[in-house]
Amino acid sequence: MKSPSSEYLLSNCLYFTASRFARQMEKLADEAFSSMDIPPSYAYLIITINDYPGISQKELCKKLTIAPSTSTRFIDKLVKKKFVERRPDGKHIMIYLTEEGASLCNKIYESLNNIYLRHSEILEKNHSEQLIQLLHEASKLMEKNNR
């Protein structure tokens, strides 16, 4: 059996294609967040805590589909920057935004909107929205089957 060419593999491999696309999206996100004091990945944590003040770390991990070790690292950095605080509640530690953290939310939403506008322009809005929906559905299926 002859091995497929690298050209064939690079254009037909979901792993490679998704990684390539993720790198391009990362560039757009870095541009959109260049004026902020946080990387784009932290923004989702902040806006989720804003929507769910007093959220537990476990629930935050579930909503963002991230590992507890990742959330600990993110929360630690945001605590250090005084954007987030941990407060004990019985046996649990709850996560809250500080006033400084809450003040970032409008800028975060603006930056996320800039990412959306940019990829909608590049990919054309209809194509972009279809891709978001397909990737969301695919991610849910992968999570369901990789447990």
Side-chain angles (χ1 to χ4, degrees), residues 80-95:
K80 191 174 183 179
K81 290 182 176 280
K82 299 187 176 143
F83 296 148
V84 167
E85 62 185 7
R86 293 178 173 105
R87 294 185 203 159
D89 183 17
K91 294 181 187 180
H92 304 285
I93 302 294
M94 310 314 266
I95 314 296

Side-chain angles (χ1 to χ4, degrees), residues 47-146:
I47 62 173
T48 302
I49 296 168
N50 188 58
D51 285 349
Y52 300 94
I55 192 168
S56 69
Q57 185 171 342
K58 181 178 180 179
E59 189 63 24
L60 191 59
C61 290
K62 185 177 175 184
K63 287 189 179 299
L64 297 174
T65 321
I66 58 174
S69 60
T70 302
S71 70
T72 297
R73 192 174 69 252
F74 283 15
I75 292 167
D76 287 348
K77 288 184 181 180
L78 291 172
V79 166
K80 191 174 183 179
K81 290 182 176 280
K82 299 187 176 143
F83 296 148
V84 167
E85 62 185 7
R86 293 178 173 105
R87 294 185 203 159
D89 183 17
K91 294 181 187 180
H92 304 285
I93 302 294
M94 310 314 266
I95 314 296
Y96 293 87
L97 291 181
T98 62
E99 282 186 39
E100 193 173 346
S103 73
L104 291 175
C105 289
N106 285 338
K107 184 82 170 143
I108 289 171
Y109 291 126
E110 183 181 315
S111 295
L112 293 174
N113 189 54
N114 287 339
I115 295 169
Y116 174 78
L117 292 173
R118 186 70 178 118
H119 71 67
S120 291
E121 174 188 330
I122 295 167
L123 301 174
E124 297 181 357
K125 187 175 180 177
N126 187 44
H127 188 100
S128 182
E129 289 174 356
Q130 289 175 354
L131 184 57
I132 291 168
Q133 183 177 352
L134 287 169
L135 287 170
H136 183 72
E137 291 170 7
S139 292
K140 285 170 74 172
L141 285 171
M142 293 291 282
E143 289 165 11
K144 179 180 172 185
N145 288 295
N146 280 330

